[in-house]
Amino acid sequence: MSDTLLRAMARDAGIQITVCLSTGLVERARQIHHTLPTATAALGRTLTATAMMGSQLKVENGSVTIQFKGDGPLGAIVCVGDPDGYVRGYLQNPACDLPLRADGKLDVGGGVGRGYLMVIKDIGLKDPVTGTVALVNGEIAADLTRYFAESEQIPSACALGVLVDTDQSVKCAGGYLVQLMPGIREADIDRLEENLQKAAPVTTMLGQGMTLEQIAETVLDGFSVEFLQTDEIGYRCACSRGKVERALISMGREELCKMADEQPVSEVTCQFCDKVYSFSSAELQGLLAQAES
């Protein structure tokens, strides 16, 4: 099954849910960044959440950026999502791989450490909308749940999972985001909380062959579920030579001159996809002339 995002709601209660299968895009990120298991799980969870949050944007050219800035060995994690659910991302230390936790799970929280989560939404306004919260535990899902509660005042529940195979490839990945709408009844909240406590981990459900529809029905058990929309998602970088040229120009005259003088060919690597762009000294001089014109 290709990477897919499903949106649904409970017709008889104020609950909406987004469910995501992200195995392919997380594996693509692993291949690009050569991540080891702990880093794969941390980046994969964040990419999955970014896909779900990006799909909620209501502007065609908008974007959402999720940044985890912790003091753990993984370093910063940065992911960007578009309204169609396509994402890109990177982390500072892809070679980070910690011992398993006592329960046998990957220690993402230990890798992220203490710090903060920042969410930046470009929704077509003059300035982006930014929200920042302290990390709960660095496990990604709980931290995003806090963000929604504190920054957007939306009671939410987020579950994210990445199962890494014995050969370090991604066996399965996915997640869901449940959000409560204003006016929801207390009885419905209680029922939902009971469902969430009983639900198996996302990777367990995916590993059992459950579809996104079945996962949504499990989380919304006892409610009348209406499936709204299904979209294909994936990993997509938005870099181009033109964008790199503009970034080089923005560095300023002094830095461009230094690059042009130090070596005959300078290389710039995209952080999101590791594509390398080469510029000769003459090309850098041409960019310098553009900057000064």
Side-chain angles (χ1 to χ4, degrees):
M1 191 187 337
S2 61
D3 288 351
T4 309
L5 185 143
L6 168 71
R7 300 183 70 179
M9 66 178 294
R11 277 194 296 260
D12 50 349
I15 306 171
Q16 56 187 10
I17 183 171
T18 303
V19 192
C20 178
L21 173 67
S22 56
T23 306
L25 71 87
V26 176
E27 171 62 13
R28 178 65 183 134
R30 183 193 74 85
Q31 294 172 358
I32 290 171
H33 299 296
H34 308 289
T35 52
L36 293 183
T38 305
T40 299
L43 181 59
R45 292 180 192 178
T46 310
L47 284 167
T48 301
T50 305
M52 293 191 289
M53 292 174 66
S55 73
Q56 295 178 338
L57 296 172
K58 295 178 173 61
V59 289
E60 186 176 346
N61 296 316
S63 67
V64 59
T65 301
I66 299 179
Q67 300 179 356
F68 280 86
K69 298 291 182 80
D71 60 4
L74 283 170
I77 305 171
V78 180
C79 295
V80 181
D82 299 323
D84 59 3
Y86 279 77
V87 294
R88 52 201 175 273
Y90 68 91
L91 40 67
Q92 278 186 305
N93 185 10
C96 173
D97 193 28
L98 301 179
L100 297 176
R101 299 183 333 198
D103 60 4
K105 295 183 178 180
L106 292 166
D107 190 8
V108 172
V112 173
R114 296 175 177 268
Y116 64 91
L117 158 65
M118 178 182 291
V119 176
I120 305 165
K121 291 186 177 181
D122 182 351
I123 53 176
L125 303 177
K126 182 179 179 182
D127 296 308
V129 178
T130 302
T132 304
V133 296
L135 296 179
V136 176
N137 57 13
E139 292 286 339
I140 313 299
D143 305 303
L144 286 164
T145 298
R146 168 179 276 185
Y147 160 77
F148 280 111
E150 294 186 6
S151 289
E152 298 195 9
Q153 287 76 54
I154 302 175
S156 306
C158 183
L160 302 164
V162 175
L163 182 61
V164 179
D165 212 339
T166 52
D167 63 357
Q168 299 191 356
S169 66
V170 177
K171 193 168 186 178
C172 67
Y176 60 78
L177 177 62
V178 184
Q179 297 186 306
L180 308 185
M181 293 178 272
I184 184 172
R185 299 181 295 268
E186 285 296 326
D188 291 332
I189 295 175
D190 293 341
R191 179 186 295 174
L192 176 64
E193 289 178 344
E194 185 178 333
N195 291 348
L196 291 170
Q197 289 174 0
K198 290 191 301 185
V202 175
T203 50
T204 299
M205 290 191 281
L206 291 172
Q208 292 172 346
M210 291 178 64
T211 64
L212 299 187
E213 288 82 1
Q214 289 171 327
I215 293 174
E217 289 173 333
T218 298
V219 176
L220 299 181
D221 184 37
F223 297 99
S224 176
V225 182
E226 178 181 357
F227 300 114
L228 303 175
Q229 186 175 342
T230 302
D231 295 300
E232 184 177 296
I233 59 174
Y235 193 101
R236 179 180 65 203
C237 185
C239 73
S240 66
R241 189 171 184 85
K243 288 184 178 180
V244 175
E245 289 176 351
R246 290 192 290 275
L248 288 171
I249 290 172
S250 70
M251 291 167 54
R253 174 183 171 78
E254 184 177 341
E255 193 63 31
L256 268 179
C257 285
K258 183 179 178 183
M259 287 180 65
D261 293 341
E262 282 183 346
Q263 49 196 0
V265 177
S266 297
E267 293 186 340
V268 179
T269 303
C270 173
Q271 289 180 298
F272 292 110
C273 69
D274 273 0
K275 183 174 181 178
V276 178
Y277 294 88
S278 298
F279 294 87
S280 66
S281 293
E283 287 173 321
L284 292 176
Q285 292 290 352
L287 293 178
L288 189 58
Q290 285 184 43
E292 294 175 342
S293 61

